Amino acid sequence: MNVLKFGGTSVGSPARIEHVADLIEKDGKNITVLSAMAGTTNSLVEISEYLYKGNIPGAQETINALEAKYYKVLDELFADADPGTARQAVVRTFALLRSYCAEPLTDAGEKEILAQGELLSTAMMHRLLTLRGRKVVLLPALDFMRTLPGGEPDMKHISTRLRRLLELEPDADIFLTQGYICRNDHGGIDNLKRGGSDYTASIIGAVIEADEIQIWTDIDGMHNNDPRFVDDTRPVSRLHFEEAAELAYFGAKILHPACVLPAKLHNIPVRLLNTMQPDAPGTLICNTAPDGTLKAIAAKDNITAIKIKSGRMLLAYGFLHKVFETFENHRTSIDMIATSEVGVTLTIDDTSRLAAIVDDLKHFGTVTVDEDMVIICIVGDLEWHNTGFEAKALAALADIPVRMISYGGSNYNISVLVRASDKVRALRELSKHLF
Ligand code: ADP
Ligand code: ASP
Ligand code: MG
């Protein structure tokens, strides 16, 4: 059985929802994971922000606009049929959103508001496929998707609950569920962070040992550079799990960074496919990929570099330990590292504890901070015996000031740190020289 995940643009209009229904029907028995319609989660975030600020008219206006959009979708999608349960879901959601206008918003309330987009899209798809005569079973994600105290998925719980739900419906043609939403360890409604529907699909695929996890989106696979900034990018036909993980983590928005791991651990192939061009081959991510080639480039924004220079590092031990411990104490993860005999530079993307980190690091040396940086990540078969790739990558960046370089940490990447203002130029130069 395959797990199919359709993103926000794929279900972004009545016509697209109909088209996705065709693709779901074509696949045979499967589990389909849906995102919210494009724009919905952003509107829900906006509503929460207005409510947090006590701007009730602002929240009401956004709720009204979103509600009007959904009634229009219902009218078009069910023009000749009774919208039934889909309409009930829309009524329920907007009554709930309005009820939040009457009380101060809490964290739990915000999470419930953010969950509405996926609940609506699955309710509409369920009704549509049912009207088409399919035996569709709606599996509420809130009944089986749960996280542990640290936010990691509770795989044992998910596996037990999901398997039981599937066993109850042996005759189903299609199982349908919500991406992104889950319950936390207290049982409260929560989510897997923005873009998290990919992660839902991967977790489900791993738990049921799926034949394949298919991520259907608005582009024909992982491209060799970021198509939002570079022209003439091309899809990569095959990627190793490790390569895909690096690209997702370092900014290739097509995949949620956490989504590679469950698939990799259970060795379930992940295929990236285009809803608008279903016959395009897309990208296959698995345990084997062509060797000896560079595959793709990605960029991660909002990076801060911190340099710690120690007069006493020469032949000293324990310096790096103290530096790393500081970041651990502040629960801040490090992306890139470069060391020399007299100092070390590290990068972070979460700056919420920056001032305190810098304060603590000053015990060990002189600290300098560079903000507004970007990590450019070049991914491919970069095993160290292969010659030439590092030289080519750096030659491409000959005219761009490079703050830091990291190579050899894995067999799959070289990372360079540049100023945010040089990002697009760096991406374009790399494409020009490497592909
Ligand atoms: P969905 O809503 O289906 O989850 P996303 O917007 O999250 O879709 O991801 C698809 C988008 O990712 C594409 O439209 C594209 O602009 C962007 N993207 C960024 N880097 C890449 C890349 N290397 N290859 C393909 N798409 C990329
Ligand atoms: N709807 C959520 C978001 O917009 C989750 C997703 O689309 O993957 O982030
Ligand atoms: Mg996405």
Side-chain angles (χ1 to χ4, degrees):
M1 188 156 65
N2 291 333
V3 176
L4 278 53
K5 176 260 169 176
F6 294 90
T9 327
S10 299
V11 292
S13 68
R16 292 215 171 136
I17 294 173
E18 294 263 12
H19 176 58
V20 165
D22 298 341
L23 294 173
I24 296 172
E25 283 189 295
K26 237 195 207 155
D27 189 75
K29 187 164 181 158
N30 68 68
I31 302 185
T32 292
V33 176
L34 294 187
S35 289
M37 292 181 77
T40 296
T41 309
N42 286 346
S43 296
L44 296 169
V45 169
E46 207 179 312
I47 292 165
S48 308
E49 284 170 356
Y50 279 128
L51 291 175
Y52 268 128
K53 293 187 167 84
N55 180 348
I56 306 303
Q60 280 164 336
E61 214 173 291
T62 316
I63 293 170
N64 292 345
L66 192 64
E67 182 181 48
K69 177 179 149 177
Y70 273 90
Y71 278 106
K72 194 158 173 275
V73 172
L74 284 181
D75 283 348
E76 284 182 40
L77 203 52
F78 303 104
D80 311 314
D82 175 11
T85 48
R87 190 170 191 285
Q88 287 160 21
V90 174
V91 171
R92 197 195 93 356
T93 285
F94 288 94
L96 179 96
L97 293 179
R98 290 208 167 83
S99 74
Y100 275 110
C101 294
E103 53 191 90
L105 190 62
T106 60
D107 186 50
E110 180 190 2
K111 297 285 172 52
E112 186 172 28
I113 290 176
L114 296 185
Q116 298 309 308
E118 274 68 13
L119 292 169
L120 287 174
S121 56
T122 47
M124 293 192 300
M125 185 62 82
H126 181 251
R127 180 67 184 156
L128 185 65
L129 287 167
T130 305
L131 287 169
R132 288 186 182 197
R134 294 287 155 178
K135 191 162 185 323
V136 204
V137 173
L138 194 56
L139 303 171
L142 299 180
D143 287 356
F144 67 89
M145 195 56 82
R146 192 171 80 176
T147 54
L148 293 164
E152 291 289 306
D154 184 345
M155 295 302 271
K156 214 167 137 203
H157 172 92
I158 297 167
S159 175
T160 313
R161 294 294 287 258
L162 180 58
R163 283 171 186 280
R164 199 177 305 149
L165 290 172
L166 295 174
E167 277 163 18
L168 288 173
E169 301 286 352
D171 303 326
D173 295 329
I174 296 156
F175 294 99
L176 194 62
T177 192
Q178 299 86 18
Y180 177 61
I181 65 175
C182 62
R183 286 193 189 274
N184 55 34
D185 57 311
H186 303 302
I189 297 178
D190 214 318
N191 60 64
L192 300 171
K193 310 260 160 52
R194 295 305 303 270
S197 297
D198 300 339
Y199 197 18
T200 303
S202 174
I203 293 167
I204 292 176
V207 157
I208 67 151
E209 299 283 334
D211 295 318
E212 203 169 271
I213 298 161
Q214 299 181 353
I215 308 287
W216 289 82
T217 181
D218 58 1
I219 188 163
D220 55 347
M222 176 74 79
H223 278 220
N224 59 6
N225 206 329
D226 194 321
R228 294 168 296 179
F229 306 107
V230 181
D231 295 330
D232 302 324
T233 59
R234 283 193 309 272
V236 182
S237 58
R238 275 176 90 125
L239 283 172
H240 194 281
F241 282 123
E242 306 277 356
E243 294 171 327
E246 301 269 9
L247 288 166
Y249 184 72
F250 287 107
K253 188 184 172 235
I254 186 169
L255 269 187
H256 183 279
C259 114
V260 179
L261 188 65
K264 184 184 119 178
L265 291 178
H266 291 78
N267 199 15
I268 317 281
V270 177
R271 210 180 279 276
L272 308 182
L273 294 159
N274 187 350
T275 313
M276 278 41 112
Q277 237 179 290
D279 297 325
T283 300
L284 176 66
I285 304 167
C286 59
N287 257 329
T288 54
D291 292 337
T293 55
L294 286 183
K295 309 279 178 28
I297 298 154
K300 185 169 175 174
D301 299 323
N302 300 320
I303 301 296
T304 297
I306 305 167
K307 181 165 81 178
I308 309 108
K309 204 173 104 209
S310 163
R312 282 174 285 124
M313 193 173 169
L314 195 66
L315 301 180
Y317 51 85
F319 171 72
L320 286 177
H321 171 75
K322 284 187 270 189
V323 170
F324 290 143
E325 201 175 37
T326 306
F327 286 84
E328 190 186 336
N329 292 343
H330 291 285
R331 304 176 65 84
T332 298
S333 74
I334 297 165
D335 281 325
M336 264 177 93
I337 309 170
T339 61
S340 85
E341 196 49 49
V342 293
V344 54
T345 297
L346 313 138
T347 71
I348 58 171
D349 65 349
D350 173 5
T351 51
S352 56
R353 307 280 306 153
L354 180 63
I357 290 170
V358 169
D359 217 40
D360 286 356
L361 289 172
K362 282 182 177 163
H363 290 111
F364 318 124
T366 315
V367 184
T368 337
V369 174
D370 288 314
E371 286 168 306
D372 295 325
M373 309 296 285
V374 167
I375 297 175
I376 307 271
C377 179
I378 301 139
V379 168
D381 178 17
L382 286 156
E383 206 271 332
W384 69 279
H385 292 99
N386 297 342
T387 53
F389 290 142
E390 310 87 273
K392 263 199 200 165
L394 294 180
L397 300 173
D399 295 328
I400 294 169
V402 171
R403 167 68 184 81
M404 178 174 171
I405 302 169
S406 174
Y407 169 64
S410 86
N411 285 343
Y412 300 98
N413 103 25
I414 308 173
S415 302
V416 292
L417 190 70
V418 301
R419 285 190 303 235
S421 53
D422 288 327
K423 163 181 153 174
V424 173
R425 195 155 63 100
L427 290 175
R428 289 180 184 161
E429 287 299 318
L430 283 164
S431 255
K432 211 160 46 179
H433 284 75
L434 301 180
F435 304 126

